[in-house]
Structure formats: C-alpha cells, structure tokens
Amino acid sequence: MDQENELTIRASFIKLIQGDITTQEVDAIVNAANGSLMGGGGVDGAIHKAGGPAILEDCKALVEMQGPISAGMAVITSAGNLPARHVIHAVGPIWMGGTLGEAEMLRLTYEESLKLAVENELSSIAFPSISTGAYRYPVEKAAPVALETVAEFLKEQKKGIKISFVLFNEETYNAYQAALNKIKASILPKKKHS
Ligand code: AR6
C-alpha cells in the first residue's frame, strides 16, 4: 500500500516531497527555466547558484548551437556541483488567464522533460512545480496537470522511473497532495452496490 504522498504506477512511482530541489541525489533535477537559458530567479537561480558556472557554460553552448528554446521545450546539461547528475531545463507557460492553451503547454513541458529523461536512460527525476512562481500559473490548477501528465507517461513505461515532486513551500505541497488524492480516488476500483 502506498504512503499518502506516493502513487505506484507499474514499476514506477511518484512521490511528493517538501524541500529544496538542489539537494536531491537523483539522475536529473528539472529546472523551471526561461527560454534564454541564461538563469533567472526562483528555482532557476537556486540551481545555478548551487551548481556553479559549469551549468551556465553548458547552457551557453546549447544556445549557440540551437538558439533560445520556447515554452514547452526541454534540454539537458551537466549539473556542476549539484548532487544530481544532470539538469533538465524546461520552459513552462506564463499564465495569461487560462484561455490561451496554458494547460496544454504545461502538459507538453512535463512530457518533453520525461521524454528527454528516457532518451538519456535516466531513472530518477525530480521536478519542481513548473510555472507556479514567477510565471503565475495558479498552483491548484497546475498541480493536477503536472501529476496527471506524469502518471499518464508512467503508464506507458515498462522500466521503472522514480519521479519526485520537490515542492518548496507548504502551500505548494498541499496543492499537490490534494491533486494526488483525487487521482488516487479516481483509479480505486469502484465498490459494487449490493
Ligand atoms: N527547490 C524547489 N522549488 C523551488 C526552489 C527550490 N530551491 N526555489 C523556488 N522553488 P519559479 P516559474 C519553487 O518562479 O514560475 C525564473 O526566473 C517556487 O516556490 O522558480 O516556472 C526563470 O528564469 C515555485 O513553487 O519558476 C524564469 O524566468 C516553483 O519553484 C521564471 O522564473 C516555480 O517557481 C520561471 O517561472
């Protein structure tokens, strides 16, 4: 039986953690980046600060090769001094009120990050709550999109992948816990009426 903050899907699982993503010892942490890949505030600033200049150097080399990236895209770099092995830089949508395809774009951002992880044979990935800080996506709306997208992806994977959502504050953690509870309730076998 899963703990309250966990969901097992085939050989994989999703786990919610309240904490700082820069301390996670995983194959890759995901950065909520912007398209310039030149760093910024929030989790992006924390990752570059803790990881040191090697990450920015990799980002600069990528931008030189392929130009800046757009919302919904993800790229992978080394992780400098971080305990993680790689950083996946993903660009979420800026919230514009919800009618401009933000949910679809957020879904794509998680999917592209997961595809990149599988392509690189990574099996433990930590996500922050993409777009719910400076990009103002309401967390109670972003949490179900994030968790459903990851759950759908894991259903298709034979090889187990450990996904953690590392949520920086209590409000964010609670929103993800509420969304996880709803997903769990929706997949429980329906009770038969006698
Ligand atoms: N560990 C985990 N989560 C964190 C950490 C941390 N160390 N620090 C902040 N968060 P944001 P966005 C949470 O603003 O909304 C940047 O300037 C934070 O509390 O980092 O996608 C980029 O360069 C929130 O829940 O990302 C872009 O320009 C979540 O991470 C822009 O912000 C996301 O907040 C991207 O905005």
Side-chain angles (χ1 to χ4, degrees):
M1 188 64 179
D2 285 341
Q3 302 282 319
E4 190 197 25
N5 63 335
E6 287 175 10
L7 174 62
T8 301
I9 301 167
R10 298 183 70 180
S12 302
F13 71 82
I14 299 175
K15 183 175 186 160
L16 309 182
I17 299 170
Q18 192 178 329
D20 179 352
I21 203 165
T22 63
T23 64
Q24 302 298 308
E25 290 180 37
V26 287
D27 288 342
I29 60 170
V30 178
N31 180 16
N34 63 66
S36 77
L37 296 179
M38 291 301 113
V43 70
D44 196 3
I47 288 172
H48 281 283
K49 188 168 175 224
I55 303 176
L56 191 59
E57 267 158 38
D58 282 3
C59 286
K60 281 184 180 158
L62 276 171
V63 171
E64 226 160 80
M65 265 191 325
Q66 63 177 67
I69 66 169
S70 340
M73 286 172 69
V75 293
I76 188 165
T77 68
S78 66
N81 303 325
L82 294 173
R85 288 172 48 218
H86 301 276
V87 178
I88 293 176
H89 304 263
V91 182
I94 298 173
W95 179 258
M96 307 290 276
T99 56
L100 294 175
E102 291 95 327
E104 206 35 59
M105 192 60 80
L106 188 61
R107 181 174 290 280
L108 188 63
T109 309
Y110 282 98
E111 275 170 6
E112 290 299 311
S113 305
L114 290 162
K115 280 187 200 159
L116 204 50
V118 169
E119 276 164 29
N120 286 277
E121 298 185 344
L122 309 180
S123 57
S124 54
I125 320 295
F127 280 99
S129 176
I130 296 172
S131 284
T132 65
Y135 282 179
R136 304 184 312 269
Y137 203 123
V139 68
E140 67 285 355
K141 290 191 166 68
V145 174
L147 291 173
E148 281 164 20
T149 304
V150 173
E152 288 299 323
F153 187 89
L154 294 179
K155 275 189 205 162
E156 306 300 322
Q157 305 302 313
K158 273 195 200 144
K159 253 175 112 179
I161 307 177
K162 297 177 200 149
I163 305 286
S164 44
F165 277 86
V166 183
L167 307 160
F168 206 44
N169 54 43
E170 202 175 346
E171 184 200 347
T172 308
Y173 183 89
N174 289 343
Y176 276 73
Q177 183 65 65
L180 189 67
N181 291 346
K182 276 199 180 160
I183 293 178
K184 284 185 173 188
S186 73
I187 57 181
L188 282 178
K190 300 244 176 340
K191 278 188 190 149
K192 280 192 191 137
H193 293 286
S194 52

